[in-house]
Amino acid sequence: MNAAVYGGLAVAAYVTLKSALFTVKQKNVSLITQFGKHVRTETEPGLHMKVPFIQKIAQNVSTAEFQVDEELETKTSDDLFVKLPISIHFEVVDAPVYHFNKGNPLQLMKKNVSAAVREYTSGKSFQDLYKERQEIRQGVLSKVDVKVKEFGIKINDIVIDEPQATQAVKASFDRIRSSAADLETAKNESEKAKIMTVKEAEAARDRDLLRG
């Protein structure tokens, strides 16, 4: 057998071995298909083997936690349109479902979260959106948890930031808060004056009794 034949066999062996071996990285899974059909998922990091030329790596899917940011516009009960910044922290927990199911799983996830946020914020005032963000967050997480698992996704957290309004709305809101603070101060001053008046009357009565 001449050198050309040996060389050809060596190249064929190298190509076959290269087609059979593959590596799974940390925080990744590899989806293996055979004739277009998903046959297994390799989840352990390291070196693996597949049937050369027949089985293929359809996709390497990261299982690390990711964050996507959204800015939703919602209408408050006091007829104000405000923007509500939210951050969705999620990870892929079912890679075959995530990759092979129809549709865009990330877009579907964001669509469901946006709908749930709008549902929980509708009927709330601008001031409520400031005070009840944690309650809104918990309600949204509970509502979308089961649904997004249908896309192979698990949402770990949703961070709802302060609602953003126009400068005119912010100025109006600041005036409302300032008026509320002034009203509370006036109320406290009134109560203080009332107490002082009562005490002065009691002191005058005691003096009259002593004189009598």
Side-chain angles (χ1 to χ4, degrees):
M1 191 176 295
N2 58 36
V5 174
Y6 277 119
L9 291 174
V11 170
Y14 170 77
V15 172
T16 301
L17 188 62
K18 186 177 180 180
S19 176
L21 297 176
F22 66 98
T23 302
V24 178
K25 297 179 180 179
Q26 293 279 355
K27 291 187 177 295
N28 277 262
V29 298
S30 294
L31 304 176
I32 310 303
T33 58
Q34 183 170 310
F35 304 121
K37 180 181 179 181
H38 175 240
V39 290
R40 76 176 193 274
T41 302
E42 290 292 354
T43 60
E44 291 297 320
L47 189 64
H48 296 271
M49 292 190 68
K50 57 183 177 60
V51 179
F53 311 116
I54 295 176
Q55 293 183 340
K56 296 181 179 180
I57 301 173
Q59 186 68 36
N60 292 310
V61 179
S62 174
T63 57
E65 183 176 275
F66 290 94
Q67 173 183 324
V68 293
D69 298 321
E70 288 281 283
E71 192 173 66
L72 306 179
E73 187 173 72
T74 185
K75 185 180 180 181
T76 65
S77 61
D78 33 7
D79 292 327
L80 300 175
F81 286 93
V82 299
K83 292 180 179 180
L84 200 61
I86 64 172
S87 297
I88 308 169
H89 301 260
F90 72 96
E91 61 183 302
V92 176
V93 292
D94 192 331
V97 170
Y98 177 83
H99 179 70
F100 292 111
N101 274 14
K102 292 181 179 179
N104 185 320
L106 293 184
Q107 290 300 325
L108 292 171
M109 175 192 71
K110 290 193 288 186
K111 183 178 179 180
N112 277 268
V113 170
S114 298
V117 170
R118 287 194 174 95
E119 179 182 332
Y120 276 92
T121 55
S122 65
K124 294 187 181 297
S125 68
F126 186 61
Q127 191 168 6
D128 290 339
L129 294 184
Y130 267 91
K131 297 189 299 183
E132 301 178 15
R133 281 176 288 157
Q134 285 304 311
E135 290 84 347
I136 296 169
R137 165 192 167 276
Q138 191 56 52
V140 172
L141 280 172
S142 300
K143 187 172 183 65
V144 303
D145 180 60
V146 175
K147 185 63 180 178
V148 298
K149 285 179 180 176
E150 297 177 10
F151 316 137
I153 293 172
K154 178 179 181 293
I155 295 180
N156 296 325
D157 197 11
I158 296 174
V159 178
I160 301 177
D161 207 344
E162 292 184 355
Q164 303 295 316
T166 62
Q167 288 301 322
V169 171
K170 287 180 180 179
S172 176
F173 183 57
D174 288 340
R175 285 196 299 271
I176 292 171
R177 287 195 296 182
S178 178
S179 297
D182 291 343
L183 184 62
E184 186 66 24
T185 300
K187 182 179 178 182
N188 291 337
E189 290 295 332
S190 177
E191 289 294 329
K192 183 179 177 181
K194 187 186 296 183
I195 292 169
M196 292 300 294
T197 301
V198 170
K199 286 186 176 181
E200 287 174 1
E202 290 175 346
R205 182 196 62 192
D206 292 343
R207 285 195 300 271
D208 290 342
L209 287 174
L210 287 172
R211 287 172 187 160

